[in-house]
Amino acid sequence: MSSTSKLSLAERDQRVIWHPYTQMKNPLPHIPIVRGEGVYVFDENGNRYIDAISSWWVNIHGHSNPYIAKKVAEQLTTLEHVIFAGFTHEPAVLLAERLLELLPGKQEKVFYTDNGSTAVEVALKMCLQYWNNLDTPKTKVLAFKNAYHGDTFGAMSVSGRSIFTDAFNSLLFDVEFIDLPNEENIEDLVKHISSLENTSCFIFEPLILGSGGMLMYEARHLDQLLAACRQNNILTIADEVMTGFGRTGTFFACEQLVNKPDIYCLSKGLTGGTMPLGITTCTADIFKAFFSDDKLKTLYHGHSFTANPIACVASLASLDILLAPATLKNIQRISARHTSFLQEIAGHEKIRSVRQTGTIIAIEWKTESGTSYLSDLRNQLYAYFLTRGIILRPLGNIIYILAPYIISDADLDYIYKTIKSALEEI
């Protein structure tokens, strides 16, 4: 008999698994999940949890969606994978065609990768090599101070310096960080951009900085920054890994802008949360700088599972659901419900700030130590909601709701009610 046969799944996990973003010495228990259905996941003891954060923002249609599962199953028995250098396939071409029709601005080409971080890596390499290919090399990147763009080295470099990057700061490349724009600083930020030299590109999370604390800012101010970049020959990258596919109330956050970016990064909700896939898109102008008889102007980047057919089919099925009228109504419904809840709790003595953009609402608790990802309040809040059947993963002293679009009003009411209880009891 195996030495592990008498151990629980959680105990076996502890013996062999290293979990992400987790101090493995005395961690909180890892709950064994055995199945998912709609907005719920179920543990091995039959307990049900509302997945109020869409499992790190990916499950936009809920768990085990039958339509996506059917399409994926069909593809598995047709073509599970094929090398994407020298070959192509229908799911990859069709997904590219559909996305290019939906993305705001004049996007012309799709480059496939594996996840959000790699989508960002490709975008940065496109921009840096673009200028190199034009024989006018530029090496500096512009980004927001509290940004988060991923955990690979390029993505870390353009993310705000924090506990996520501390061990690697001396190895990260040169980035010019600026504050989020607002009414008071926008003119100074525009002037600052105009004064910069050697700047290749500006990468930004449109309207919301996710892991940085669900920090929100206005589209009109971002528009002014993009206009300043264009005037100063700085390429722009929209990291819509989190904001894409309806989260901000529009299919893409950049729909709310007048000035459109040169490049988009997509992932998370792309496959409906079914499996990993990343996409970087660009304009014809950027692609043209790589289109050459000179082999050194090639974008030498790729992944073993580039444009995996199963992931592409999952994405196509997710798009079918996303574009259905019922999903748009759900996005509008959730946004309206969040607005009402915001108005109900705004001004509570324990709340420093409550903010909302589209289907995302964030509540920042007051603490004596200020706002911090390492706030002691984090584990209290996490445990409070978990014992009441709600998965909310606080960013320190900030909780947020980022639920699948199929969540019911009854489940939203229960989450709101539980948040109000937490405000009184914690």
Side-chain angles (χ1 to χ4, degrees):
M1 182 177 292
S2 170
S3 62
T4 63
S5 61
K6 295 183 180 180
L7 298 178
S8 69
L9 185 57
E11 290 169 332
R12 289 165 54 205
D13 172 282
Q14 193 170 11
R15 291 180 62 170
V16 296
I17 301 293
W18 190 344
H19 285 269
Y21 304 110
T22 301
Q23 174 48 257
M24 296 302 291
K25 184 176 182 179
N26 301 319
L28 294 174
H30 291 100
I31 298 171
I33 298 299
V34 296
R35 70 183 182 93
E37 182 180 347
V39 298
Y40 310 116
V41 291
F42 299 82
D43 70 17
E44 62 182 357
N45 297 315
N47 296 311
R48 189 185 77 174
Y49 304 88
I50 301 171
D51 188 354
I53 58 167
S54 300
S55 285
W56 263 335
W57 323 340
V58 302
N59 289 91
I60 57 176
H61 308 303
H63 296 275
S64 302
N65 181 278
Y67 179 72
I68 298 177
K70 178 177 180 291
K71 294 296 185 180
V72 166
E74 291 171 354
Q75 186 61 40
L76 275 167
T77 56
T78 304
L79 175 66
E80 84 296 344
H81 188 61
V82 66
I83 182 175
F84 208 60
F87 297 88
T88 191
H89 51 79
E90 176 70 15
V93 175
L94 182 56
L95 179 57
E97 290 170 342
R98 291 185 66 182
L99 281 173
L100 291 174
E101 289 178 357
L102 291 171
L103 283 165
K106 298 178 180 179
Q107 297 293 293
E108 291 286 339
K109 295 292 181 180
V110 167
F111 195 101
Y112 286 102
T113 58
D114 294 349
N115 55 61
S117 295
T118 54
V120 167
E121 295 285 341
V122 168
L124 293 171
K125 291 173 80 171
M126 281 181 179
C127 289
L128 293 167
Q129 190 175 343
Y130 169 87
W131 295 112
N132 199 59
N133 284 359
L134 295 181
D135 296 322
T136 55
K138 298 181 182 183
T139 58
K140 185 172 285 188
V141 177
L142 184 67
F144 287 130
K145 285 181 179 176
N146 292 300
Y148 172 83
H149 294 289
D151 294 328
T152 51
F153 262 82
M156 277 199 300
S157 292
V158 296
S159 299
R161 301 299 176 255
S162 67
I163 62 171
F164 295 99
T165 65
D166 277 351
F168 315 102
N169 283 347
S170 64
L171 303 172
L172 304 180
F173 57 70
D174 189 19
V175 176
E176 179 79 16
F177 289 106
I178 59 174
D179 292 323
L180 279 186
N182 56 45
E183 199 65 39
E184 287 71 38
N185 68 9
I186 185 62
E187 289 187 10
D188 289 337
L189 289 176
V190 168
K191 290 178 182 177
H192 181 64
I193 290 172
S194 299
S195 72
L196 295 176
E197 298 179 353
N198 192 37
T199 304
S200 167
C201 57
F202 170 42
I203 184 168
F204 59 93
E205 297 163 85
L207 309 186
I208 308 173
L209 273 59
S211 294
M214 295 295 167
L215 304 175
M216 302 178 186
Y217 64 107
E218 294 185 36
R220 62 192 179 98
H221 295 138
L222 178 56
D223 250 326
Q224 290 177 264
L225 297 185
L226 296 184
C229 287
R230 183 152 289 125
Q231 290 167 6
N232 291 276
N233 222 16
I234 299 170
L235 298 174
T236 53
I237 304 169
D239 180 351
E240 291 236 29
V241 168
M242 187 268 282
T243 58
F245 306 104
R247 286 302 186 188
T248 65
T250 49
F251 287 142
F252 298 99
C254 288
E255 289 180 36
Q256 302 176 43
L257 302 173
V258 174
N259 296 291
K260 308 304 183 188
D262 299 295
I263 291 173
Y264 286 89
C265 301
L266 306 173
S267 190
K268 288 199 181 290
L270 176 59
T271 68
T274 308
M275 60 192 71
L277 184 65
I279 279 178
T280 308
T281 71
C282 70
T283 61
D285 180 64
I286 291 176
F287 180 74
K288 184 179 177 181
F290 293 81
F291 194 75
S292 172
D293 293 324
D294 184 352
K295 297 297 190 291
L296 295 179
K297 292 187 176 181
T298 302
L299 179 61
Y300 287 107
H301 189 103
H303 296 261
S304 300
F305 285 93
T306 293
N308 175 260
I310 302 168
C312 290
V313 162
S315 300
L316 288 164
S318 180
L319 277 181
D320 289 343
I321 301 169
L322 180 69
L323 296 173
T327 303
L328 178 58
K329 288 181 180 178
N330 279 335
I331 290 171
Q332 294 169 340
R333 173 180 59 86
I334 294 167
S335 299
R337 293 299 312 278
H338 283 350
T339 299
S340 297
F341 182 57
L342 181 152
Q343 294 168 349
E344 185 178 349
I345 63 172
H348 191 285
E349 61 180 10
K350 290 185 181 178
I351 293 178
R352 174 176 284 117
S353 170
V354 56
R355 45 194 181 263
Q356 179 215 353
T357 299
T359 68
I360 305 170
I361 185 170
I363 302 159
E364 186 172 342
W365 246 257
K366 287 181 182 177
T367 65
E368 292 182 1
S369 58
T371 295
S372 169
Y373 186 83
L374 297 178
S375 171
D376 291 338
L377 187 60
R378 186 266 176 202
N379 286 353
Q380 286 181 262
L381 291 169
Y382 179 71
Y384 184 91
F385 291 104
L386 202 60
T387 57
R388 289 157 178 80
I390 303 170
I391 301 174
L392 289 177
R393 184 178 168 86
L395 298 164
N397 55 304
I398 299 168
I399 64 169
Y400 61 90
I401 305 171
L402 212 156
Y405 300 141
I406 60 171
I407 192 169
S408 67
D409 283 340
D411 281 335
L412 282 174
D413 286 338
Y414 177 65
I415 295 169
Y416 297 153
K417 179 182 177 181
T418 308
I419 290 173
K420 288 190 288 185
S421 296
L423 285 167
E424 300 306 318
E425 297 175 19
I426 297 179

